[in-house]
Amino acid sequence: MTPSANPPSDAVQVLGACPHDCPDTCALLTTVEGGVARRVQGNPAHRHTDGALCTKVSRYPERTYHPERLLTPLRRGGPKGSGQFEPVSWDEALDDIAARLRAIAARDPQAILPYSYAGTMGLVQGDGMAARFFHRLGASLLDRTICASAGGEALVQTLGGKVGMKVEHFAESKLILVWGSNSIGSNLHFWRLAQKAKRDGARLVCIDPRRTETADKCHEHIALRPGTDAALALALMHELITHDWLDHDYLERHTLGWDALRERALQWPPERAAEICGVPVAQIRQLAHDYGTTKPAAIRLNYGMQRVRGGGNAVRAIACLPALVGAWRHRAGGLLLSASGYFPAQRAALQRPDLLAGRTPRTINMSTIGDALLSEASTGFGPKIEAVVVYNSNPVAVAPESAKVVQGFAREDLFTVVLEHFQTDTADYADYLLPATTQLEHWDIHASYGHTDVLLNRPAIAPVGQAKANSAVFRALAERMGFDEPCFADSDEAMCRQAFGDAVDFDTLLSQGFATLPVPDAPFADGGFPTPSGRCEFFSARLVAQGLDGLPDHLPNHEAAGSDPRHPLAMISPPARHFLNSTFVNVQSLRSVEGEPLLELHPDDAAPRGIDSGQMVRVFNARGEYRCKADVSTRARPGVVNGLGIWWRKLGPDGTNVNQLTSQRLTDLGRAPVFYDCLVEVERA
Ligand code: SF4
């Protein structure tokens, strides 16, 4: 492909930010020669990036100039879902899309649904101009739950927000629990800090059903069953209490509900938890001893473990632990799941909910998009969904219970617009497929959920082909719809300035590409949690007011191990190391490393089924079936299979992926999906 800009002669380096759904939010340096992006590197001046990118993003030019990149607007030219398209001009596409949306909105704008997630984490190309457009239209609201809302809600209820340790201080910890995180694959820059701590004598314990690459490098691996993390956390509390490894002063001054939590935890002796978690009693006792007696002790929690029925309660239970031992007193102690609550993003200025002008559209949960697209109009549901506009997301591949998602997107009476870089599984179902710019081609601004720096992304090259930024597409649609509020004329750079207002110095962002928020080193050393009580809330009156348990507890999976003899194996579907959700699956060099879709299963589960490594297997449950290759390996624990994802359906051997098997049931808190709460059976194909 020939990049579209004409060459100025000298090479320049342009400051940017990685847009992907990853806690590291790296600062990028793109070398541009003659209008062509030659190289993307980590910015060495940014301490969190430290000059290093993961393998995925260091190949960003390959993705940007990929031969299959969408370069022109396309209109469906074959049956729905066939992936057959014909080129069309931008004017023709936008005129027709605006006319179709206007006609639907005239009946009921709630019949139009935006569908987006973290294809870019940028605040402008994410839900900036798009949110303004859909608010002005009065479209259905989207409950963006697909990844993190169970854990996020749990943090809000316990710590008061998505707040925690500053990641840089993990380097000084003496005990690090890497809980539900394959950090080497999905939090590389944290892992570098953990490695430093290890060199300085820290003990690293990995808690994960899968023996990940990260588990290999820790001193110990606790391979618990999926969905049993709260039981483990409660048993740890039991041991901390019975051995008096408690910080009584911290409990007294900075927590709420200690007596009640103490009573709950005393119901969880290690023997009870060991039975549920499927791990030895001695391992739980040893972990509790280490956690209770090593200072400072830190927990790096990640979102995988909250993708089960009791995911919110599990995060609540784990988030209570640092307060029991007073770990928050030290900057290298405490817990980090997300730091995004520290960012003073001015979302109302960016997204302009005031454009709803008093209307209160219904909210559709993105995690149950399959059911939503198949719902008829009713009093409870509201109007049938007549149009979906998908941007920054690939729901046909990533949403649970794919058979229903596919059936929904295949509806002949559904008008679907997709903004994308590539012809993904979802793009195949589009009526209009619009070419989007990549991060190298547009302005954006980024918060992070893994550190506390704001990053600015400047365009390094001109848009490739006829690609347009998401903001430009929604601006153009707004104009055609006759939306004349001045905010629709804001430029992308102006929106970057609005994103944090005066809270972040924009000149600093322009000159160095990042700006550090003034977060204290040990934010809760003297309490001061952003909860209503100002304390770490073991007991949450807000949850009780919702009719929920005020204390964290272990909630068994919807599909608990042993509950269905026809489907005796639990399946989790963590990302393959070289993919990021469904992004990068089409980058040949990365797909070549991954090879093909794999199901890891333990030799004890493979042998009675006559399955050897390399054989095709059929993985199935009542929702569907999926074929892939078996990898008989102790990376899987007995009774649990690991379906590595998330492959594009059309690149898998039978045109499906693991989400053919996952369910649309939801978590206890946050209305989130339960991807890792899924029973299956496996047989030779
Ligand atoms: S480590 Fe994460 S933030 Fe950094 S380049 Fe890779 S995907 Fe982007």
Side-chain angles (χ1 to χ4, degrees):
M1 174 186 305
T2 308
S4 58
N6 282 327
S9 43
D10 297 333
V12 289
Q13 288 197 313
V14 181
L15 297 167
C18 175
H20 293 292
D21 187 359
C22 167
D24 296 22
T25 319
C26 289
L28 307 182
L29 265 187
T30 302
T31 304
V32 181
E33 265 174 22
V36 179
R38 297 285 181 206
R39 191 167 175 209
V40 175
Q41 298 162 266
N43 182 352
H46 183 240
R47 65 187 164 146
H48 297 296
T49 306
D50 198 19
L53 303 178
C54 63
T55 321
K56 298 173 282 245
V57 173
S58 52
R59 309 244 168 108
Y60 216 74
E62 185 183 340
R63 189 170 184 276
T64 299
Y65 299 121
H66 193 291
E68 289 160 14
R69 174 96 188 265
L70 296 170
L71 296 178
T72 57
L74 299 169
R75 181 168 53 204
R76 179 155 69 93
K80 197 95 175 180
S82 65
Q84 294 168 31
F85 293 98
E86 57 196 22
V88 61
S89 74
W90 269 110
D91 277 341
E92 243 181 304
L94 292 168
D95 287 348
D96 194 27
I97 293 166
R100 300 277 298 262
L101 295 183
R102 197 183 301 114
I104 296 169
R107 292 190 292 279
D108 188 340
Q110 296 178 98
I112 299 167
L113 178 69
Y115 195 99
S116 72
Y117 200 65
T120 171
M121 297 290 286
L123 296 172
V124 172
Q125 307 304 340
D127 279 291
M129 192 57 79
R132 293 178 183 183
F133 176 78
F134 290 111
H135 284 145
R136 174 66 178 79
L137 189 60
S140 284
L141 302 173
L142 185 71
D143 200 4
R144 291 181 168 81
T145 56
I146 204 154
C147 178
S149 61
E153 178 67 11
L155 286 189
V156 168
Q157 297 295 342
T158 314
L159 306 180
K162 291 172 147 186
V163 292
M165 282 177 65
K166 291 170 77 172
V167 69
E168 53 269 39
H169 299 319
F170 276 88
E172 300 161 17
S173 305
K174 289 298 170 210
L175 173 70
I176 302 178
L177 309 190
V178 185
W179 200 321
S181 170
N182 184 7
S183 310
I184 291 178
S186 59
N187 195 185
L188 185 65
H189 295 80
F190 156 75
W191 183 247
R192 290 158 64 112
L193 299 166
Q195 290 292 98
K196 167 151 190 341
K198 188 179 176 191
R199 284 194 298 276
D200 291 345
R203 180 172 171 76
L204 269 51
V205 180
C206 179
I207 303 172
D208 196 312
R210 179 172 183 251
R211 186 171 63 73
T212 59
E213 299 85 348
T214 306
D216 289 341
K217 298 273 194 295
C218 288
H219 295 98
E220 188 175 358
H221 175 212
I222 299 181
L224 77 184
R225 292 193 182 103
T228 64
D229 303 73
L232 177 61
L234 287 160
L236 295 180
M237 290 181 205
H238 179 282
E239 292 299 278
L240 296 174
I241 294 164
T242 54
H243 294 273
D244 198 19
W245 292 318
L246 298 170
D247 185 331
H248 293 281
D249 176 62
Y250 197 92
L251 285 166
E252 170 75 25
R253 289 168 50 213
H254 303 309
T255 69
L256 182 76
W258 170 233
D259 288 345
L261 180 65
R262 185 175 184 281
E263 201 176 311
R264 171 73 49 92
L266 287 174
Q267 296 166 21
W268 283 92
E271 292 77 8
R272 181 180 174 196
E275 183 80 15
I276 288 172
C277 301
V279 300
V281 176
Q283 203 170 29
I284 298 177
R285 288 195 198 285
Q286 182 64 46
L287 180 64
H289 171 271
D290 293 346
Y291 190 69
T293 59
T294 312
K295 296 192 188 314
I299 301 174
R300 182 61 173 109
L301 191 59
N302 210 347
Y303 285 108
M305 46 71 68
Q306 43 102 70
R307 296 189 176 124
V308 294
R309 175 191 170 215
N313 266 270
V315 171
R316 265 188 44 70
I318 296 164
C320 290
L321 288 168
L324 268 72
V325 296
W328 293 115
R329 289 186 190 276
H330 196 292
R331 69 181 191 174
L335 168 140
L336 177 63
L337 170 59
S338 171
S340 64
Y342 287 123
F343 288 81
Q346 312 285 307
R347 288 189 199 277
L350 265 183
Q351 302 181 354
R352 298 294 304 272
D354 57 296
L355 294 168
L356 283 168
R359 295 168 294 176
T360 52
R362 65 159 171 208
T363 300
I364 300 282
N365 188 340
M366 70 186 310
S367 300
T368 49
I369 184 66
D371 281 347
L373 289 176
L374 296 174
S375 292
E376 295 296 330
S378 71
T379 324
F381 182 69
K384 186 171 180 173
I385 297 171
E386 294 183 54
V388 189
V389 182
V390 181
Y391 51 104
N392 305 331
S393 186
N394 181 9
V396 170
V398 306
E401 205 173 355
S402 313
K404 287 190 175 170
V405 182
V406 168
Q407 201 186 335
F409 274 99
R411 274 175 40 200
E412 280 297 337
D413 63 342
L414 181 73
F415 178 58
T416 303
V417 178
V418 177
L419 284 62
E420 253 303 352
H421 300 142
F422 296 102
Q423 193 172 331
T424 60
D425 290 333
T426 306
D428 282 345
Y429 289 86
D431 291 285
Y432 279 101
L433 178 51
L434 306 178
T437 46
T438 68
Q439 189 78 341
L440 301 190
E441 301 152 60
H442 55 228
W443 283 93
D444 217 328
I445 190 161
H446 291 252
S448 171
Y449 59 99
H451 60 65
T452 47
D453 291 355
V454 173
L455 272 73
L456 183 69
N457 185 75
R458 291 173 181 249
I461 56 172
V464 175
Q466 295 180 40
K468 281 188 192 296
N470 291 351
S471 54
V473 172
F474 289 108
R475 209 178 273 121
L477 284 174
E479 188 186 344
R480 281 166 173 78
M481 305 286 281
F483 299 166
D484 55 8
E485 289 79 359
C487 68
F488 289 108
D490 287 345
S491 70
D492 288 0
E493 185 185 341
M495 293 179 74
C496 287
R497 289 175 184 272
Q498 291 160 9
F500 293 96
D502 294 336
V504 174
D505 180 33
F506 203 77
D507 289 338
T508 304
L509 290 172
L510 285 170
S511 62
Q512 65 177 20
F514 58 89
T516 301
L517 297 177
V519 176
D521 276 352
F524 310 122
D526 292 313
F529 292 92
T531 52
S533 63
R535 291 166 175 249
C536 176
E537 296 201 351
F538 298 152
F539 178 83
S540 168
R542 291 179 290 172
L543 289 178
V544 173
Q546 295 171 37
L548 300 170
D549 192 346
L551 292 171
D553 203 353
H554 165 65
L555 299 183
N557 280 357
H558 292 299
E559 300 182 9
S563 64
D564 178 356
R566 292 164 308 156
H567 306 115
L569 298 169
M571 186 186 80
I572 59 172
S573 41
R577 180 168 171 184
H578 294 87
F579 302 157
L580 202 159
N581 300 329
S582 71
T583 308
F584 298 107
V585 180
N586 62 322
V587 174
Q588 184 60 49
S589 60
L590 297 172
R591 193 164 77 245
S592 302
V593 184
E594 289 300 333
E596 54 199 322
L598 287 181
L599 184 87
E600 295 171 347
L601 75 171
H602 191 272
D604 291 355
D605 294 317
R609 292 171 174 82
I611 295 169
D612 293 320
S613 274
Q615 281 178 336
M616 289 299 289
V617 288
R618 174 175 169 260
V619 194
F620 61 97
N621 61 20
R623 288 178 288 274
E625 65 175 58
Y626 167 56
R627 279 160 213 266
C628 60
K629 245 181 201 165
D631 180 11
V632 179
S633 154
T634 52
R635 289 220 174 274
R637 58 154 286 149
V640 179
V641 295
N642 310 321
L644 302 183
I646 301 174
W647 281 79
W648 288 13
R649 290 165 61 86
K650 59 185 164 190
L651 296 176
D654 63 351
T656 61
N657 69 16
V658 279
N659 281 321
Q660 201 75 9
L661 305 167
T662 53
S663 86
Q664 293 184 77
R665 299 184 78 169
L666 300 176
T667 52
D668 51 350
L669 302 178
R671 308 162 305 282
V674 293
F675 291 112
Y676 298 179
D677 182 343
C678 176
L679 289 179
V680 299
E681 177 57 296
V682 183
E683 63 182 25
R684 290 169 64 153

